[in-house]
Coordinates of all heavy atoms in Angstrom, one line a residue:
M1 N -14.9 3.2 11.2 CA -15.0 4.6 11.0 C -15.7 5.2 12.2 O -15.4 6.4 12.6 CB -15.8 4.9 9.8 CG -15.0 4.9 8.4 SD -13.4 5.7 8.5 CE -13.8 7.2 7.8
E2 N -16.7 4.5 12.7 CA -17.4 5.1 13.9 C -16.6 5.4 15.1 O -16.8 6.4 15.8 CB -18.6 4.2 14.3 CG -18.2 2.8 14.7 CD -18.2 1.8 13.6 OE1 -18.3 2.2 12.4 OE2 -18.0 0.7 13.9
Y3 N -15.5 4.7 15.2 CA -14.6 5.0 16.3 C -13.8 6.3 16.1 O -13.6 7.1 17.0 CB -13.6 3.8 16.5 CG -14.3 2.5 16.9 CD1 -14.7 1.6 16.0 CD2 -14.7 2.3 18.2 CE1 -15.3 0.5 16.3 CE2 -15.4 1.1 18.6 CZ -15.7 0.2 17.6 OH -16.4 -0.9 17.9
V4 N -13.4 6.5 14.9 CA -12.7 7.7 14.5 C -13.6 8.9 14.6 O -13.3 10.0 15.2 CB -12.1 7.6 13.1 CG1 -11.5 8.9 12.7 CG2 -11.0 6.5 13.0
Y5 N -14.9 8.7 14.1 CA -15.8 9.8 14.2 C -16.1 10.2 15.7 O -16.3 11.3 16.1 CB -17.1 9.4 13.6 CG -17.1 9.3 12.1 CD1 -17.7 8.4 11.4 CD2 -16.3 10.2 11.3 CE1 -17.7 8.3 10.0 CE2 -16.2 10.2 10.0 CZ -16.9 9.2 9.3 OH -16.8 9.1 7.9
S6 N -16.2 9.1 16.5 CA -16.4 9.4 18.0 C -15.3 10.2 18.6 O -15.5 11.2 19.3 CB -16.5 8.1 18.7 OG -17.5 7.3 18.3
A7 N -14.0 9.9 18.2 CA -12.9 10.7 18.7 C -13.0 12.1 18.1 O -12.7 13.1 18.9 CB -11.6 10.0 18.2
L8 N -13.4 12.3 16.9 CA -13.5 13.6 16.3 C -14.6 14.4 17.0 O -14.4 15.7 17.3 CB -13.8 13.6 14.8 CG -12.6 13.1 14.0 CD1 -13.0 12.9 12.5 CD2 -11.4 14.1 14.1
I9 N -15.7 13.8 17.4 CA -16.7 14.5 18.1 C -16.2 15.0 19.5 O -16.4 16.1 19.9 CB -18.0 13.6 18.3 CG1 -18.7 13.4 17.0 CG2 -18.9 14.1 19.4 CD1 -19.7 12.3 17.0
L10 N -15.5 14.1 20.2 CA -15.0 14.5 21.5 C -14.0 15.6 21.3 O -14.0 16.5 22.1 CB -14.3 13.2 22.1 CG -15.2 12.1 22.6 CD1 -14.5 10.9 23.0 CD2 -16.1 12.6 23.8
H11 N -13.1 15.5 20.3 CA -12.1 16.6 20.1 C -12.8 17.9 19.8 O -12.4 18.9 20.3 CB -11.2 16.2 18.9 CG -10.2 17.3 18.6 ND1 -9.2 17.6 19.4 CD2 -10.2 18.1 17.5 CE1 -8.5 18.6 18.8 NE2 -9.1 18.9 17.7
S12 N -13.9 17.9 18.9 CA -14.5 19.1 18.6 C -15.3 19.8 19.8 O -15.4 21.0 19.8 CB -15.5 18.9 17.4 OG -16.6 18.2 17.8
L13 N -15.7 18.9 20.7 CA -16.3 19.4 21.9 C -15.3 19.8 23.0 O -15.7 20.3 24.1 CB -17.3 18.4 22.5 CG -18.5 18.1 21.6 CD1 -19.3 16.9 22.1 CD2 -19.4 19.3 21.4
G14 N -14.1 19.6 22.8 CA -13.0 19.9 23.7 C -13.0 18.9 24.9 O -12.4 19.2 25.9
K15 N -13.5 17.8 24.7 CA -13.5 16.7 25.7 C -12.3 15.8 25.6 O -11.7 15.8 24.5 CB -14.8 15.8 25.6 CG -16.1 16.6 25.7 CD -16.4 17.1 27.0 CE -17.7 17.7 27.1 NZ -18.1 18.1 28.4
E16 N -11.9 15.2 26.6 CA -10.8 14.2 26.6 C -11.2 13.0 25.8 O -12.3 12.4 26.0 CB -10.4 13.8 28.0 CG -9.2 12.9 28.1 CD -8.9 12.4 29.5 OE1 -9.6 12.9 30.5 OE2 -8.0 11.6 29.6
I17 N -10.3 12.6 25.0 CA -10.5 11.4 24.2 C -10.0 10.2 25.0 O -8.7 10.0 25.1 CB -9.8 11.5 22.8 CG1 -10.4 12.6 22.0 CG2 -10.0 10.2 22.0 CD1 -9.6 12.9 20.7
N18 N -10.9 9.4 25.6 CA -10.5 8.3 26.3 C -11.4 7.1 26.0 O -12.4 7.3 25.3 CB -10.5 8.6 27.9 CG -11.8 9.0 28.4 OD1 -12.8 8.5 28.0 ND2 -11.8 10.0 29.3
E19 N -11.1 6.0 26.5 CA -11.8 4.7 26.2 C -13.3 4.8 26.6 O -14.2 4.4 25.8 CB -11.1 3.5 26.9 CG -9.8 3.3 26.3 CD -9.0 2.2 27.1 OE1 -9.6 1.4 27.8 OE2 -7.8 2.2 26.9
D20 N -13.5 5.3 27.8 CA -14.9 5.4 28.3 C -15.8 6.3 27.4 O -16.9 6.0 27.1 CB -15.0 5.8 29.8 CG -14.4 4.8 30.7 OD1 -14.5 3.6 30.4 OD2 -13.9 5.2 31.8
A21 N -15.2 7.5 27.1 CA -16.0 8.4 26.3 C -16.3 7.9 24.9 O -17.5 8.0 24.4 CB -15.2 9.7 26.2
I22 N -15.4 7.2 24.3 CA -15.6 6.7 23.0 C -16.7 5.5 23.1 O -17.6 5.4 22.2 CB -14.3 6.2 22.3 CG1 -13.5 7.4 21.9 CG2 -14.6 5.4 21.0 CD1 -12.1 7.0 21.4
A23 N -16.5 4.7 24.1 CA -17.5 3.6 24.3 C -18.9 4.1 24.5 O -19.9 3.6 24.0 CB -17.1 2.7 25.4
N24 N -19.0 5.2 25.2 CA -20.3 5.8 25.5 C -21.0 6.3 24.2 O -22.2 6.2 24.0 CB -20.2 6.9 26.5 CG -20.0 6.4 27.9 OD1 -20.3 5.2 28.2 ND2 -19.4 7.2 28.8
I25 N -20.2 7.0 23.3 CA -20.7 7.5 22.1 C -21.1 6.3 21.2 O -22.2 6.4 20.6 CB -19.6 8.3 21.3 CG1 -19.4 9.6 22.1 CG2 -20.1 8.6 19.9 CD1 -18.3 10.5 21.6
I26 N -20.4 5.2 21.1 CA -20.7 4.1 20.3 C -22.0 3.5 20.8 O -22.9 3.1 20.1 CB -19.6 3.0 20.3 CG1 -18.3 3.6 19.7 CG2 -20.0 1.8 19.6 CD1 -18.4 4.0 18.2
K27 N -22.1 3.3 22.2 CA -23.3 2.8 22.8 C -24.5 3.7 22.4 O -25.6 3.2 22.2 CB -23.2 2.6 24.3 CG -22.3 1.5 24.7 CD -22.1 1.5 26.2 CE -21.1 0.4 26.6 NZ -20.9 0.5 28.1
A28 N -24.3 5.0 22.5 CA -25.4 5.9 22.3 C -25.9 5.8 20.8 O -27.1 6.1 20.6 CB -25.0 7.3 22.6
A29 N -25.0 5.4 19.9 CA -25.4 5.3 18.5 C -26.1 3.9 18.3 O -26.6 3.7 17.2 CB -24.2 5.4 17.7
G30 N -26.2 3.1 19.3 CA -26.9 1.8 19.2 C -26.0 0.7 18.8 O -26.5 -0.4 18.3
A31 N -24.7 0.8 18.9 CA -23.8 -0.3 18.5 C -23.1 -0.8 19.8 O -23.0 -0.1 20.8 CB -22.8 0.2 17.5
E32 N -22.5 -2.0 19.6 CA -21.8 -2.6 20.7 C -20.3 -2.2 20.5 O -19.7 -2.6 19.5 CB -21.9 -4.1 20.7 CG -21.3 -4.8 21.9 CD -22.0 -4.4 23.2 OE1 -23.2 -4.1 23.3 OE2 -21.3 -4.3 24.3
P33 N -19.7 -1.5 21.5 CA -18.3 -1.1 21.3 C -17.3 -2.3 21.4 O -17.5 -3.2 22.2 CB -18.0 -0.1 22.4 CG -19.1 -0.3 23.4 CD -20.3 -1.0 22.7
D34 N -16.3 -2.2 20.5 CA -15.2 -3.2 20.5 C -14.0 -2.6 21.4 O -13.4 -1.6 20.9 CB -14.8 -3.4 19.1 CG -13.7 -4.5 19.0 OD1 -13.1 -4.9 20.0 OD2 -13.4 -5.0 17.9
V35 N -13.8 -3.2 22.5 CA -12.8 -2.6 23.5 C -11.4 -2.6 22.8 O -10.7 -1.6 23.0 CB -12.8 -3.5 24.8 CG1 -11.8 -3.0 25.7 CG2 -14.2 -3.4 25.4
A36 N -11.1 -3.6 22.1 CA -9.7 -3.7 21.5 C -9.5 -2.5 20.5 O -8.5 -1.9 20.5 CB -9.5 -5.0 20.8
R37 N -10.5 -2.2 19.7 CA -10.4 -1.1 18.7 C -10.3 0.2 19.4 O -9.6 1.1 19.0 CB -11.7 -1.1 17.8 CG -11.6 -2.1 16.7 CD -12.8 -1.9 15.8 NE -12.7 -2.8 14.7 CZ -13.6 -2.8 13.7 NH1 -14.6 -2.0 13.7 NH2 -13.4 -3.6 12.7
I38 N -11.1 0.3 20.5 CA -11.1 1.6 21.2 C -9.7 1.8 21.9 O -9.2 2.9 21.8 CB -12.2 1.6 22.3 CG1 -13.6 1.6 21.6 CG2 -12.0 2.8 23.2 CD1 -14.7 1.4 22.6
K39 N -9.2 0.8 22.5 CA -7.8 0.9 23.1 C -6.8 1.3 22.0 O -5.9 2.1 22.3 CB -7.4 -0.4 23.8 CG -8.1 -0.6 25.1 CD -7.7 -1.9 25.8 CE -8.4 -2.0 27.1 NZ -7.9 -3.2 27.9
A40 N -6.9 0.6 20.9 CA -5.9 0.9 19.8 C -6.0 2.3 19.3 O -5.0 3.0 19.1 CB -6.1 -0.1 18.6
L41 N -7.2 2.8 19.2 CA -7.5 4.2 18.7 C -7.0 5.2 19.7 O -6.3 6.1 19.3 CB -9.0 4.4 18.4 CG -9.3 5.8 18.0 CD1 -8.7 6.1 16.6 CD2 -10.8 6.0 17.9
V42 N -7.3 5.0 21.0 CA -6.9 6.0 22.0 C -5.3 6.0 22.1 O -4.7 7.1 22.2 CB -7.5 5.6 23.4 CG1 -6.9 6.4 24.5 CG2 -9.0 5.8 23.3
S43 N -4.7 4.8 22.0 CA -3.3 4.7 22.0 C -2.7 5.5 20.8 O -1.7 6.2 20.9 CB -2.8 3.3 22.0 OG -1.5 3.2 21.9
A44 N -3.2 5.3 19.6 CA -2.7 5.9 18.4 C -2.9 7.4 18.4 O -2.0 8.2 18.0 CB -3.4 5.3 17.2
L45 N -4.0 7.9 18.9 CA -4.3 9.3 19.0 C -3.5 10.0 20.0 O -3.4 11.3 20.0 CB -5.8 9.5 19.2 CG -6.7 9.2 18.0 CD1 -8.2 9.4 18.4 CD2 -6.3 9.9 16.8
S46 N -3.0 9.3 21.0 CA -2.2 10.0 22.1 C -1.0 10.6 21.5 O -0.5 11.6 22.2 CB -1.9 9.0 23.2 OG -1.0 8.0 22.7
E47 N -0.5 10.2 20.4 CA 0.7 10.7 19.8 C 0.5 11.7 18.7 O 1.4 12.1 18.0 CB 1.6 9.6 19.4 CG 2.0 8.6 20.5 CD 2.7 7.4 19.9 OE1 3.0 7.3 18.8 OE2 2.8 6.4 20.7
I48 N -0.8 12.0 18.4 CA -1.1 12.8 17.2 C -1.7 14.1 17.6 O -2.6 14.2 18.5 CB -2.1 12.0 16.3 CG1 -1.4 10.8 15.7 CG2 -2.7 12.9 15.2 CD1 -2.3 9.9 14.9
N49 N -1.3 15.2 16.9 CA -1.9 16.5 17.1 C -3.1 16.5 16.1 O -3.0 16.6 14.9 CB -0.9 17.6 16.7 CG -1.5 19.0 16.9 OD1 -2.7 19.1 16.9 ND2 -0.7 20.0 16.9
I50 N -4.3 16.3 16.6 CA -5.5 16.2 15.8 C -5.8 17.4 15.0 O -6.1 17.3 13.8 CB -6.7 15.8 16.7 CG1 -6.5 14.4 17.3 CG2 -8.0 15.8 15.8 CD1 -7.5 14.0 18.3
D51 N -5.6 18.6 15.5 CA -5.8 19.8 14.8 C -4.9 19.9 13.5 O -5.3 20.3 12.5 CB -5.6 21.1 15.6 CG -6.6 21.3 16.7 OD1 -7.8 21.0 16.4 OD2 -6.3 21.6 17.8
E52 N -3.6 19.5 13.7 CA -2.7 19.6 12.6 C -3.1 18.5 11.6 O -3.0 18.8 10.4 CB -1.3 19.3 13.1 CG -0.2 19.5 12.1 CD -0.1 20.9 11.6 OE1 -0.3 21.8 12.3 OE2 0.2 21.0 10.4
A53 N -3.5 17.3 12.0 CA -3.9 16.3 11.1 C -5.1 16.7 10.3 O -5.2 16.4 9.1 CB -4.2 15.0 11.8
I54 N -6.1 17.4 10.9 CA -7.3 17.9 10.2 C -6.9 18.9 9.1 O -7.4 18.9 8.0 CB -8.3 18.5 11.2 CG1 -8.9 17.3 12.0 CG2 -9.4 19.2 10.4 CD1 -9.8 17.8 13.2
K55 N -6.0 19.9 9.5 CA -5.5 20.9 8.5 C -4.8 20.2 7.4 O -5.1 20.6 6.2 CB -4.6 21.9 9.2 CG -5.3 22.8 10.2 CD -4.2 23.7 10.8 CE -4.9 24.6 11.9 NZ -3.9 25.4 12.6
T56 N -4.0 19.3 7.6 CA -3.3 18.6 6.5 C -4.2 17.8 5.7 O -4.1 17.8 4.4 CB -2.2 17.6 7.1 OG1 -1.4 18.3 8.0 CG2 -1.4 16.9 6.0
A57 N -5.2 17.1 6.2 CA -6.2 16.3 5.5 C -7.1 17.2 4.7 O -7.6 16.8 3.6 CB -6.9 15.4 6.4
A58 N -7.4 18.4 5.1 CA -8.3 19.3 4.4 C -7.8 19.7 3.0 O -8.5 19.9 2.1 CB -8.6 20.5 5.3
F59 N -6.5 19.7 2.9 CA -5.9 20.1 1.6 C -5.6 18.9 0.7 O -5.3 19.1 -0.5 CB -4.6 20.9 1.8 CG -4.9 22.2 2.5 CD1 -4.5 22.4 3.8 CD2 -5.5 23.2 1.8 CE1 -4.8 23.6 4.4 CE2 -5.8 24.4 2.4 CZ -5.4 24.6 3.7
A60 N -5.6 17.7 1.2 CA -5.3 16.5 0.4 C -6.2 16.3 -0.8 O -5.8 16.1 -1.9 CB -5.2 15.3 1.2
P61 N -7.5 16.3 -0.7 CA -8.4 16.1 -1.8 C -8.3 17.1 -2.9 O -8.4 16.8 -4.1 CB -9.8 16.1 -1.2 CG -9.6 15.8 0.3 CD -8.3 16.4 0.6
V62 N -8.0 18.4 -2.5 CA -7.8 19.4 -3.5 C -6.6 19.1 -4.4 O -6.7 19.3 -5.6 CB -7.7 20.8 -2.9 CG1 -7.4 21.9 -3.9 CG2 -9.0 21.1 -2.1
A63 N -5.6 18.6 -3.8 CA -4.4 18.3 -4.6 C -4.6 17.1 -5.5 O -4.0 17.0 -6.6 CB -3.2 18.0 -3.6
A64 N -5.5 16.2 -5.1 CA -5.7 15.0 -5.9 C -6.6 15.3 -7.1 O -6.6 14.6 -8.1 CB -6.3 13.9 -5.1
A65 N -7.4 16.4 -7.1 CA -8.3 16.7 -8.2 C -7.7 16.9 -9.5 O -8.1 16.4 -10.5 CB -9.2 17.8 -7.8
P66 N -6.6 17.7 -9.6 CA -5.9 17.9 -10.9 C -5.4 16.6 -11.5 O -5.4 16.4 -12.7 CB -4.8 18.9 -10.6 CG -5.3 19.6 -9.4 CD -6.1 18.6 -8.6
A67 N -4.9 15.7 -10.6 CA -4.4 14.5 -11.1 C -5.5 13.7 -11.8 O -5.3 13.0 -12.8 CB -3.7 13.7 -10.0
T68 N -6.7 13.7 -11.3 CA -7.8 13.0 -11.9 C -8.1 13.6 -13.2 O -8.4 12.9 -14.2 CB -9.0 13.1 -10.9 OG1 -8.7 12.6 -9.6 CG2 -10.2 12.3 -11.5
A69 N -8.1 14.9 -13.3 CA -8.4 15.5 -14.6 C -7.4 15.1 -15.6 O -7.7 14.9 -16.8 CB -8.5 17.0 -14.4
A70 N -6.1 15.1 -15.2 CA -5.0 14.7 -16.1 C -5.2 13.3 -16.6 O -5.0 13.0 -17.8 CB -3.7 14.9 -15.5
S71 N -5.6 12.4 -15.7 CA -5.7 11.0 -16.1 C -6.9 10.8 -17.0 O -6.9 10.0 -17.9 CB -5.9 10.1 -14.9 OG -7.1 10.4 -14.2
T72 N -8.0 11.6 -16.9 CA -9.1 11.6 -17.7 C -8.7 12.0 -19.1 O -9.1 11.4 -20.1 CB -10.3 12.5 -17.2 OG1 -10.6 12.1 -15.9 CG2 -11.5 12.5 -18.1
E73 N -7.9 13.1 -19.2 CA -7.4 13.5 -20.5 C -6.6 12.5 -21.2 O -6.7 12.3 -22.4 CB -6.6 14.8 -20.3 CG -6.3 15.5 -21.6 CD -7.5 16.0 -22.3 OE1 -8.5 16.4 -21.7 OE2 -7.5 16.1 -23.6
E74 N -5.7 11.8 -20.4 CA -4.9 10.7 -21.0 C -5.8 9.6 -21.5 O -5.5 9.0 -22.6 CB -4.0 10.2 -19.9 CG -2.9 11.1 -19.5 CD -2.0 10.6 -18.4 OE1 -2.2 9.5 -17.9 OE2 -1.2 11.4 -17.9
K75 N -6.9 9.3 -20.8 CA -7.7 8.2 -21.3 C -8.4 8.6 -22.6 O -8.6 7.7 -23.5 CB -8.8 7.9 -20.2 CG -8.3 7.2 -19.0 CD -9.4 6.9 -18.0 CE -8.8 6.3 -16.8 NZ -9.8 6.0 -15.7
K76 N -8.8 9.8 -22.7 CA -9.4 10.3 -24.0 C -8.4 10.2 -25.1 O -8.8 9.7 -26.2 CB -9.9 11.7 -23.8 CG -11.1 11.9 -23.0 CD -11.5 13.4 -22.9 CE -12.7 13.6 -22.0 NZ -13.0 15.1 -21.9
E77 N -7.2 10.5 -24.9 CA -6.2 10.4 -25.9 C -5.9 9.0 -26.3 O -5.8 8.7 -27.5 CB -4.9 11.1 -25.5 CG -5.0 12.6 -25.4 CD -3.7 13.3 -25.0 OE1 -2.6 12.6 -25.1 OE2 -3.7 14.4 -24.5
E78 N -5.9 8.1 -25.3 CA -5.7 6.7 -25.6 C -6.8 6.1 -26.5 O -6.6 5.3 -27.4 CB -5.6 5.9 -24.3 CG -4.3 6.1 -23.6 CD -4.3 5.4 -22.2 OE1 -5.2 4.6 -22.0 OE2 -3.3 5.6 -21.5
K79 N -8.1 6.5 -26.2 CA -9.2 6.1 -26.9 C -9.1 6.6 -28.4 O -9.4 5.8 -29.3 CB -10.5 6.6 -26.3 CG -10.9 5.8 -25.0 CD -12.2 6.3 -24.5 CE -12.6 5.6 -23.2 NZ -13.8 6.0 -22.6
K80 N -8.7 7.8 -28.6 CA -8.5 8.3 -29.9 C -7.5 7.5 -30.7 O -7.7 7.2 -31.8 CB -8.1 9.8 -29.9 CG -9.2 10.7 -29.5 CD -8.7 12.2 -29.4 CE -9.8 13.1 -28.9 NZ -9.3 14.5 -28.9
E81 N -6.4 7.2 -30.0 CA -5.3 6.4 -30.7 C -5.8 5.0 -31.0 O -5.5 4.5 -32.1 CB -4.1 6.3 -29.8 CG -3.3 7.7 -29.6 CD -2.2 7.6 -28.6 OE1 -1.7 6.4 -28.3 OE2 -1.7 8.6 -28.2
E82 N -6.6 4.4 -30.1 CA -7.1 3.1 -30.4 C -8.0 3.1 -31.6 O -8.0 2.2 -32.4 CB -7.8 2.5 -29.2 CG -6.9 2.1 -28.0 CD -7.7 1.7 -26.8 OE1 -8.9 1.5 -26.9 OE2 -7.0 1.5 -25.8
K83 N -8.9 4.2 -31.6 CA -9.8 4.3 -32.8 C -9.1 4.5 -34.1 O -9.4 3.9 -35.1 CB -10.7 5.5 -32.5 CG -11.9 5.6 -33.5 CD -12.9 6.6 -33.1 CE -14.1 6.6 -34.0 NZ -15.1 7.6 -33.6
K84 N -8.0 5.3 -34.1 CA -7.2 5.4 -35.3 C -6.6 4.1 -35.7 O -6.6 3.8 -36.9 CB -6.1 6.5 -35.1 CG -6.6 7.9 -35.0 CD -5.5 8.9 -34.8 CE -5.9 10.3 -34.7 NZ -4.8 11.2 -34.5
E85 N -6.1 3.3 -34.8 CA -5.4 2.1 -35.1 C -6.5 1.1 -35.7 O -6.2 0.4 -36.6 CB -4.8 1.4 -33.8 CG -3.6 2.2 -33.4 CD -3.0 1.6 -32.1 OE1 -3.5 0.6 -31.6 OE2 -2.1 2.2 -31.5
E86 N -7.7 1.1 -35.1 CA -8.7 0.2 -35.7 C -9.1 0.6 -37.1 O -9.3 -0.2 -38.0 CB -10.0 0.3 -34.8 CG -9.8 -0.4 -33.4 CD -11.0 -0.2 -32.5 OE1 -12.1 0.3 -33.0 OE2 -11.0 -0.6 -31.4
E87 N -9.2 1.9 -37.3 CA -9.5 2.4 -38.7 C -8.4 2.0 -39.7 O -8.7 1.6 -40.8 CB -9.7 3.9 -38.7 CG -11.0 4.4 -38.0 CD -11.1 5.9 -37.8 OE1 -10.1 6.6 -38.2 OE2 -12.1 6.3 -37.3
E88 N -7.2 2.2 -39.3 CA -6.1 1.8 -40.1 C -6.1 0.3 -40.4 O -5.8 -0.1 -41.6 CB -4.7 2.2 -39.5 CG -4.5 3.6 -39.5 CD -3.2 4.0 -38.7 OE1 -2.4 3.1 -38.3 OE2 -2.9 5.2 -38.6
E89 N -6.4 -0.5 -39.5 CA -6.5 -2.0 -39.6 C -7.6 -2.3 -40.6 O -7.4 -3.2 -41.5 CB -6.8 -2.7 -38.3 CG -6.8 -4.2 -38.4 CD -5.5 -4.8 -38.8 OE1 -4.4 -4.3 -38.5 OE2 -5.6 -5.9 -39.4
E90 N -8.8 -1.7 -40.5 CA -9.9 -1.9 -41.4 C -9.5 -1.5 -42.8 O -9.8 -2.2 -43.8 CB -11.1 -1.1 -41.0 CG -11.8 -1.6 -39.7 CD -12.9 -0.8 -39.2 OE1 -13.3 0.2 -40.0 OE2 -13.5 -1.1 -38.2
K91 N -8.8 -0.4 -43.0 CA -8.3 0.0 -44.3 C -7.4 -1.0 -44.9 O -7.5 -1.3 -46.1 CB -7.6 1.4 -44.2 CG -7.3 2.1 -45.5 CD -6.7 3.4 -45.3 CE -6.4 4.1 -46.6 NZ -5.9 5.4 -46.4
R92 N -6.5 -1.5 -44.1 CA -5.5 -2.6 -44.6 C -6.3 -3.8 -45.1 O -6.0 -4.4 -46.1 CB -4.5 -2.9 -43.6 CG -3.4 -1.9 -43.4 CD -2.3 -2.4 -42.5 NE -2.1 -1.4 -41.5 CZ -2.2 -1.5 -40.2 NH1 -2.4 -2.7 -39.7 NH2 -2.0 -0.5 -39.4
E93 N -7.3 -4.2 -44.3 CA -8.1 -5.3 -44.7 C -8.8 -5.1 -46.0 O -8.9 -6.0 -46.9 CB -9.1 -5.7 -43.6 CG -8.4 -6.3 -42.3 CD -9.5 -6.5 -41.2 OE1 -10.7 -6.3 -41.4 OE2 -9.0 -6.9 -40.1
E94 N -9.4 -3.9 -46.2 CA -10.1 -3.6 -47.4 C -9.1 -3.6 -48.6 O -9.5 -4.1 -49.7 CB -10.8 -2.2 -47.3 CG -11.9 -2.2 -46.4 CD -12.5 -0.8 -46.2 OE1 -12.1 0.2 -46.9 OE2 -13.4 -0.7 -45.4
E95 N -7.9 -3.1 -48.4 CA -6.9 -3.1 -49.5 C -6.5 -4.5 -49.8 O -6.3 -4.9 -51.0 CB -5.7 -2.3 -49.1 CG -6.0 -0.8 -49.0 CD -4.8 0.0 -48.5 OE1 -3.8 -0.6 -48.0 OE2 -4.9 1.3 -48.5
A96 N -6.4 -5.4 -48.8 CA -6.0 -6.8 -49.1 C -7.1 -7.5 -49.8 O -6.8 -8.3 -50.8 CB -5.8 -7.5 -47.7
I97 N -8.4 -7.2 -49.5 CA -9.5 -7.8 -50.2 C -9.5 -7.4 -51.7 O -9.7 -8.2 -52.6 CB -10.8 -7.5 -49.5 CG1 -10.9 -8.3 -48.2 CG2 -12.0 -7.9 -50.4 CD1 -12.0 -7.9 -47.3
E98 N -9.3 -6.1 -51.9 CA -9.2 -5.5 -53.2 C -8.1 -6.2 -54.0 O -8.3 -6.5 -55.2 CB -9.1 -4.0 -53.2 CG -10.3 -3.3 -52.8 CD -10.1 -1.8 -52.7 OE1 -9.0 -1.3 -53.1 OE2 -11.0 -1.1 -52.2
G99 N -7.0 -6.4 -53.4 CA -5.8 -7.0 -54.0 C -6.2 -8.4 -54.5 O -5.8 -8.9 -55.6
L100 N -6.9 -9.2 -53.6 CA -7.3 -10.6 -54.0 C -8.3 -10.5 -55.1 O -8.3 -11.4 -56.0 CB -7.9 -11.2 -52.7 CG -6.9 -11.7 -51.7 CD1 -7.7 -12.2 -50.5 CD2 -5.9 -12.7 -52.2
G101 N -9.2 -9.5 -55.1 CA -10.2 -9.4 -56.2 C -9.5 -9.2 -57.5 O -9.9 -9.7 -58.6
A102 N -8.4 -8.5 -57.5 CA -7.6 -8.2 -58.8 C -7.0 -9.5 -59.3 O -6.9 -9.7 -60.5 CB -6.6 -7.2 -58.6
L103 N -6.6 -10.4 -58.4 CA -6.0 -11.7 -58.9 C -7.0 -12.6 -59.5 O -6.7 -13.3 -60.5 CB -5.4 -12.4 -57.6 CG -4.2 -11.9 -57.0 CD1 -3.8 -12.6 -55.8 CD2 -3.0 -11.9 -58.0
F104 N -8.3 -12.5 -59.0 CA -9.3 -13.4 -59.5 C -10.3 -12.7 -60.5 O -11.2 -13.4 -61.0 CB -10.1 -14.1 -58.4 CG -9.2 -14.9 -57.5 CD1 -8.9 -14.5 -56.2 CD2 -8.7 -16.1 -58.0 CE1 -8.1 -15.2 -55.4 CE2 -7.9 -16.9 -57.1 CZ -7.6 -16.5 -55.9
G105 N -10.1 -11.4 -60.7 CA -11.1 -10.7 -61.4 C -10.9 -10.7 -62.9 O -11.6 -10.9 -63.8

């Protein structure tokens, strides 16, 4: 993640995203930069419009929130159904015990 954050810092400052700049940020944070990761990131970002990616990503969590609420509602309904099934099972067991009592009573 620190490599992506480094690239975002450079982008927000209007600086060129290159291997040396990312390595310098990682070093300044007190970590040892991984040259292979930096090269892969710079290569991947060369084909991406970062501003467009940020705009697209900014709306993704909002779209996911209603799905979470729906799944929570479904879980509540499942729990209610399970509770009803358990109550019905207990009722059947009680009736069976009463039936046996009538045989021996």
Side-chain angles (χ1 to χ4, degrees):
M1 274 323 257
E2 59 271 7
Y3 297 96
V4 174
Y5 291 143
S6 299
L8 288 173
I9 290 169
L10 291 169
H11 176 74
S12 69
L13 294 174
K15 304 288 183 176
E16 181 183 356
I17 298 173
N18 60 40
E19 295 172 20
D20 291 333
I22 291 175
N24 288 337
I25 291 174
I26 299 295
K27 286 178 188 175
E32 187 64 34
D34 182 348
V35 178
R37 282 187 175 181
I38 294 172
K39 285 183 180 186
L41 178 65
V42 171
S43 175
L45 290 177
S46 67
E47 301 172 9
I48 294 176
N49 180 342
I50 295 174
D51 289 322
E52 187 64 34
I54 291 171
K55 287 178 187 176
T56 304
F59 294 108
V62 174
T68 303
S71 66
T72 303
E73 190 65 31
E74 289 174 5
K75 288 180 182 178
K76 287 180 183 178
E77 289 180 23
E78 288 177 9
K79 286 182 181 180
K80 288 180 183 178
E81 290 177 16
E82 288 177 9
K83 190 172 183 178
K84 285 181 183 179
E85 290 175 6
E86 289 176 8
E87 289 173 356
E88 290 176 5
E89 182 65 30
E90 288 175 7
K91 188 176 180 180
R92 281 188 233 123
E93 288 176 4
E94 289 175 6
E95 290 174 353
I97 290 172
E98 288 176 7
L100 286 175
L103 288 174
F104 299 108

